[in-house]
């Protein structure tokens, strides 16, 4: 069938050629006009406008119906090159720009439909004669390679603005805009900021949140039937360092304030997220552009904490990450125990138990190696009495050189000596201390001038020359305790009648003109005033705290439980500071400053 039609087409073309070249004459030649009785009563062809631009493959559909005849063939050509042939009256074919001859310009699409002439001639009867119906369309094509689109980036008051030049060719399919922090990974999908099917005159970036960012543009074209792309040169933007942590500040209530810089554009901003690592990762998110600080509580004093600031953009495409170490407190000095001159708090001695080294905190070259369980400064500060088990060592307070040592075993005349529990230098001659019982030692004469009952603590008040001894009450109740009260002058103790009795004793601390007694009964703190021995305040802690020391300058006390350390106003019970307690390190409270054994301090007087 197809061969016959082809033959018929050739015959028609040949006849037209002869008709053009020769004049047919003579008695044997008769000109017969061809009759065509068939027609395309119905037809349908995909609408293609004249001069339509075909940038990518396009499907062409057709449907033909012949009246009074037969359908033979449909043939499509592009620039006289056959691209489709079918003997079906309906179907489709793909028109590809690559089928055209030129790289760009115009091409002619011709669709010929062949049917029978319906003349019942001999040629028609053998399907060698056909009627031709023709459809012509002019299209435009562009098969040139992709080119980069020139663009510039400018910083406006609140964003980055991309300005593009027009693309020079007609075969543009898509424009992709990319932005990211890594130039080697810039054109990955996750960095795509926008994708449009035309060259925009402008693009506003809502992804820049600071720091060094890289931008690029990719153009995509159909070069013939294949998608090709071309990428621009990468543009680097660094308007600011980006939001970053700029400062840490320790507050008097034990918070660590973290400050950071703002993002450059409010319109590009989404969130600040501050993360830190302490007992698991914690985070705090600020969604306000101007909120550039956070106050963190519950951090241990002196421990380095890793902080990370993550700033996200409004379109969630880009982020800036900045990190830095923070620490609660200011750098001070390390110690296992800290001893302070009660008259001059600036005079402090730190003790390292592992090396048994006692140092001056202001000049560590002034030191001595000596086993020490406790230490007390003399009234005028010239002499230090340090003790360990049954030996009291007298030291020069300025040079920390050893003056002499006193063995308590012989003086106490006790075959089972106990470690010294408490020690207070009374003046330049007398030391009050307890081992099993209270003793007043004349360290010039190496003689005990007074010996009392069993006592747990000895507290001396220099201004009033009052001495308070706290210990067991042997009057019958073994659980009862009492505070005995003396005036000490020149080695003579005058007992005062105003003793104070209490139950379930835990410990006691002297400060200023007060003594605080802690009992296990409902975890109470009872504060007595010296010399009246009157109770001025009593409050319940609620949890069993251990009272380690009290600061006479501020009347604040240092309390411990297993998980936390607290500073309270001793006269009211008000909490001044509360933080995590690291059991393996010690703390000291001096002149309103909390010292941590790991080498940091926190000024609670701010």
């Amino acid at each position: 069938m197809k061969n016959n039609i082809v033959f018929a087409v050739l015959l028609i073309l040949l006849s037209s050629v002869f008709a053009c070249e020769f004049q047919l004459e003579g008695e044997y030649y008769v000109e017969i006009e061809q009759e065509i009785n068939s027609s395309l009563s119905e037809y349908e062809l995909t609408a293609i406008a004249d001069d339509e631009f075909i940038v990518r493959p396009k499907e062409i559909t057709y449907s033909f119906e012949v009246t009074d005849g037969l359908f033979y063939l449909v043939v499509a050509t592009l620039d006289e090159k056959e691209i489709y042939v079918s003997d079906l009256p309906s179907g489709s074919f793909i028109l590809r720009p690559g089928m055209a001859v030129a790289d760009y310009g115009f091409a002619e699409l011709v669709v010929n439909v062949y049917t029978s002439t319906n003349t019942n001639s001999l040629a028609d009867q053998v399907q060698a004669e056909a009627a031709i119906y023709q459809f012509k369309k002019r299209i435009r094509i562009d098969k040139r390679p992709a080119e980069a689109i020139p663009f510039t980036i400018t910083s406006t008051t609140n964003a980055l603005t991309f300005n593009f030049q027009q693309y020079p060719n007609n075969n543009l399919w898509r424009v992709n805009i990319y932005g990211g922090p890594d130039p080697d990974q810039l054109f990955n999908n996750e960095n795509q900021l926008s994708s449009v099917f035309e060259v925009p005159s402008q693009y506003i970036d809502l992804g820049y949140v600071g720091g060094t960012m890289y931008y690029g543009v990719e153009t995509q074209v159909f070069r013939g039937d294949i998608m090709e792309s071309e990428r621009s040169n990468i543009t680097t933007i660094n308007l600011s360092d980006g939001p970053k942590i700029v400062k840490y500040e320790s507050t008097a209530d034990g918070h660590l304030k973290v400050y950071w810089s703002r993002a450059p554009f409010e319109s590009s901003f989404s969130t600040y997220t501050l993360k830190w690592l302490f007992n698991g990762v914690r985070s705090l998110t600020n969604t306000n552009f101007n909120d550039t600080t956070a106050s963190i509580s519950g951090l241990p004093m002196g421990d380095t904490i890793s902080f990370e600031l993550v700033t996200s953009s409004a379109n969630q495409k880009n982020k800036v990450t900045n990190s830095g170490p923070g620490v609660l407190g200011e750098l001070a000095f390390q110690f296992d125990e800290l001893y302070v001159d009660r008259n001059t708090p600036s005079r402090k001695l730190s003790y390292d138990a592992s090396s048994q080294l006692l140092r001056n905190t202001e000049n560590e070259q002034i030191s001595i190696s000596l086993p020490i369980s406790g230490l007390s400064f003399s009234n005028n500060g010239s002499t230090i009495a340090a003790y360990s088990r049954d030996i009291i060592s007298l030291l020069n307070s300025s040079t920390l050189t050893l003056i002499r040592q006193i063995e308590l075993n012989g003086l106490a005349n006790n075959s089972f000596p106990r470690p010294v529990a408490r020690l207070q230098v009374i003046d330049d001659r007398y030391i009050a201390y307890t081992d099993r019982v209270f003793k007043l030692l004349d360290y010039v004469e190496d003689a005990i001038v007074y010996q009392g009952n069993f006592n747990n603590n000895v507290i001396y008040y220099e201004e009033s020359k009052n001495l308070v001894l706290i210990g067991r009450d042997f009057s019958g109740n073994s659980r009862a305790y009492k505070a005995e009260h003396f005036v000490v002058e020149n080695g003579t103790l005058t007992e005062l009648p105003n003793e104070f009795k209490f139950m379930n004793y835990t410990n006691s601390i002297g400060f200023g003109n007060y003594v605080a007694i802690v009992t296990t009964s409902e975890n109470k703190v009872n504060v007595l005033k010296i010399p009246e021995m009157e109770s001025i305040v009593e409050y319940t802690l609620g949890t069993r705290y251990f009272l380690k020391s009290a600061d006479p300058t501020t009347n604040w006390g240092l309390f411990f439980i297993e998980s936390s350390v607290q500073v309270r106003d001793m006269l009211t019970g008000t909490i001044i500071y509360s933080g995590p307690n690291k059991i393996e390190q010690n703390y000291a409270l001096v002149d309103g400053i909390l010292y941590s054994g790991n080498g940091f301090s926190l000024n609670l007087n701010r």
Side-chain angles (χ1 to χ4, degrees):
M1 171 64 180
K2 290 183 179 179
N3 289 337
N4 291 340
I5 296 301
V6 173
F7 173 74
V9 172
L10 291 176
L11 181 61
I12 293 169
L13 293 175
L14 184 60
S15 299
S16 64
V17 171
F18 286 155
C20 293
E21 296 290 337
F22 301 99
Q23 178 68 41
L24 301 179
E25 296 179 348
E27 59 180 332
Y28 302 107
Y29 298 94
V30 178
E31 183 176 349
I32 301 175
E33 183 177 348
Q34 183 184 18
E35 292 185 11
I36 300 178
N37 297 322
S38 67
S39 64
L40 293 180
S41 60
E42 293 182 14
Y43 65 89
E44 182 179 344
L45 187 68
T46 300
I48 303 178
D50 282 331
D51 298 337
E52 181 174 341
F53 181 65
I54 305 297
V55 69
R56 60 191 177 97
K58 181 174 184 177
E59 183 180 27
I60 306 297
T61 61
Y62 66 88
S63 178
F64 302 112
E65 186 174 333
V66 181
T67 302
D68 299 329
L70 300 174
F71 174 84
Y72 285 160
L73 198 67
V74 59
V75 178
T77 62
L78 185 64
D79 281 346
E80 300 181 354
K81 178 182 177 182
E82 187 178 279
I83 61 173
Y84 178 75
V85 177
S86 176
D87 56 5
L88 299 176
S90 63
S92 65
F93 60 91
I94 303 299
L95 177 61
R96 304 177 186 275
M99 296 172 175
V101 175
D103 281 342
Y104 68 99
F106 294 98
E108 187 176 56
L109 172 66
V110 178
V111 179
N112 288 320
V113 180
Y114 299 95
T115 71
S116 68
T117 60
N118 201 25
T119 59
N120 204 26
S121 66
L122 179 61
D124 189 23
Q125 293 179 25
V126 297
Q127 299 180 357
E129 183 179 79
I132 305 174
Y133 298 90
Q134 192 174 78
F135 303 88
K136 290 184 178 181
K137 293 290 180 181
R138 190 174 71 162
I139 63 172
R140 292 186 300 153
I141 54 94
D142 196 338
K143 300 188 294 182
R144 287 175 289 183
E147 293 186 21
I149 302 179
F151 70 96
T152 58
I153 301 178
T154 57
S155 172
T156 58
T157 57
N158 212 21
L160 292 179
T161 300
F162 290 65
N163 295 284
F164 297 91
Q165 295 183 18
Q166 287 300 310
Y167 192 68
N169 302 335
N170 293 319
N171 57 339
L172 179 66
W173 169 242
R174 186 162 52 193
V175 177
N176 299 321
I177 302 172
Y178 295 86
D182 185 353
D184 295 331
Q185 307 295 324
L186 176 61
F187 291 100
N188 291 352
N189 289 336
E190 61 268 20
N191 292 325
Q192 189 176 96
L193 304 178
S194 177
S195 182
V196 293
F197 291 95
E198 60 182 359
V199 180
S201 59
Q202 282 189 338
Y203 170 75
I204 306 298
D205 177 36
L206 295 180
Y208 185 73
V209 286
T212 301
M213 294 291 290
Y214 302 90
Y215 293 93
V217 175
E218 178 184 59
T219 57
Q220 292 181 325
V221 304
F222 278 100
R223 189 178 183 190
D225 307 332
I226 301 173
M227 175 76 77
E228 291 185 353
S229 63
E230 181 66 24
R231 293 168 177 172
S232 68
N233 293 329
I234 296 176
T235 297
T236 304
I237 296 293
N238 190 355
L239 298 181
S240 71
D241 291 334
K244 64 179 181 180
I245 298 171
V246 295
K247 186 175 70 170
Y248 299 95
E249 181 182 56
S250 300
T251 63
D253 58 357
H255 286 69
L256 182 64
K257 294 192 73 174
V258 184
Y259 297 85
W260 59 87
S261 56
R262 288 194 315 182
F265 301 128
E266 185 172 2
S267 63
S268 298
F269 166 78
S270 176
T271 57
Y272 302 114
T273 300
L274 183 68
K275 301 179 180 180
W276 66 95
L277 182 61
F278 170 65
N279 290 341
V281 177
R282 305 181 187 181
S283 64
L284 182 68
T285 299
N286 284 359
T287 58
N288 189 307
F289 177 70
N290 295 312
D291 288 346
T292 56
T293 183
S295 185
I296 311 300
S297 63
L299 297 179
M301 190 171 69
D303 277 14
T304 300
I305 307 297
S306 297
F307 285 90
E308 182 181 70
L309 176 69
V310 180
T311 306
S312 299
S313 64
N315 60 11
Q316 298 297 315
K317 287 291 185 181
N318 295 317
K319 61 180 63 176
V320 167
T321 302
N322 173 260
S323 60
V327 61
L328 177 65
E330 286 75 40
L331 193 63
F333 42 81
Q334 293 183 327
F335 60 88
D336 290 325
E337 191 64 60
L338 188 66
Y339 302 105
V340 183
D341 188 337
R342 56 193 172 188
N343 293 317
T344 310
S346 61
R347 300 182 62 189
K348 294 181 283 290
L349 301 175
S350 65
Y351 185 67
D352 184 348
S354 61
S355 63
Q356 297 185 342
L357 196 62
L358 184 69
R359 294 188 181 95
N360 185 313
T361 59
E362 296 181 349
N363 185 356
E364 291 195 350
Q365 301 301 317
I366 300 176
S367 63
I368 186 173
S369 181
L370 193 70
I372 294 175
S373 300
L375 183 145
S376 176
F377 289 80
S378 65
N379 186 31
N380 60 17
S382 62
T383 306
I384 295 172
Y387 64 82
S388 176
R389 293 190 64 84
D390 59 351
I391 294 178
I392 294 179
S393 300
L394 300 178
L395 309 174
N396 182 293
S397 63
S398 299
T399 62
L400 294 185
T401 54
L402 182 64
I403 300 173
R404 65 191 181 94
Q405 290 183 320
I406 302 169
E407 293 187 5
L408 300 180
N409 187 28
L411 295 176
N413 193 22
N414 192 325
S415 58
F416 300 99
R418 298 291 182 90
V420 173
R422 295 288 191 273
L423 177 145
Q424 292 272 313
V425 175
I426 302 298
D427 51 32
D428 291 335
R429 182 164 185 170
Y430 297 99
I431 296 174
Y433 70 95
T434 65
D435 49 17
R436 291 177 61 88
V437 295
F438 165 71
K439 300 179 180 66
L440 184 65
L441 170 66
D442 181 342
Y443 61 84
V444 175
E445 299 293 337
D446 287 354
I448 294 176
V449 298
Y450 183 91
Q451 181 168 306
N453 295 322
F454 177 88
N455 286 279
N456 292 85
N457 199 3
V458 50
I459 306 169
Y460 181 65
Y461 299 86
E462 296 181 46
E463 183 178 351
S464 61
K465 301 184 184 302
N466 277 230
L467 182 67
V468 175
L469 306 177
I470 299 176
R472 292 282 295 274
D473 179 7
F474 291 97
S475 61
N477 191 336
S478 61
R479 298 178 60 193
Y481 288 80
K482 65 178 180 178
E484 299 176 303
H485 186 201
F486 299 86
V487 174
V488 183
E489 289 185 304
N490 299 321
T492 301
L493 276 71
T494 303
E495 186 171 3
L496 301 177
N498 53 353
E499 66 180 28
F500 183 85
K501 294 186 177 182
F502 47 93
M503 299 286 290
N504 302 319
Y505 172 78
T506 300
N507 70 320
S508 55
I509 294 293
F511 61 98
N513 292 321
Y514 305 96
V515 58
I517 299 172
V518 183
T519 63
T520 57
S521 176
E522 299 181 2
N523 307 311
K524 286 185 177 179
V525 176
N526 199 332
V527 179
L528 309 179
K529 187 176 181 181
I530 304 300
E532 293 86 352
M533 293 293 286
E534 294 178 355
S535 176
I536 63 168
V537 65
E538 185 178 62
Y539 49 88
T540 301
L541 298 177
T543 305
R544 186 173 182 178
Y545 282 84
F546 171 72
L547 176 59
K548 181 180 186 295
S549 66
D551 178 20
T553 305
T554 58
N555 293 329
W556 293 347
L558 180 60
F559 292 82
F560 291 95
I561 60 171
E562 183 176 349
S563 60
S564 70
V565 54
Q566 284 189 355
V567 175
R568 291 174 179 260
D569 187 325
M570 296 298 298
L571 302 182
T572 64
T574 304
I575 296 177
I576 306 298
Y577 165 84
S578 181
N581 175 25
K582 300 192 70 175
I583 300 175
E584 67 273 13
Q585 73 186 36
N586 210 337
Y587 297 84
L589 182 63
V590 181
D591 201 16
I593 299 175
L594 180 63
Y595 292 91
S596 169
N598 62 5
F600 286 83
S601 66
L602 184 62
N603 192 339
L604 307 181
N605 271 322
R606 295 180 182 179

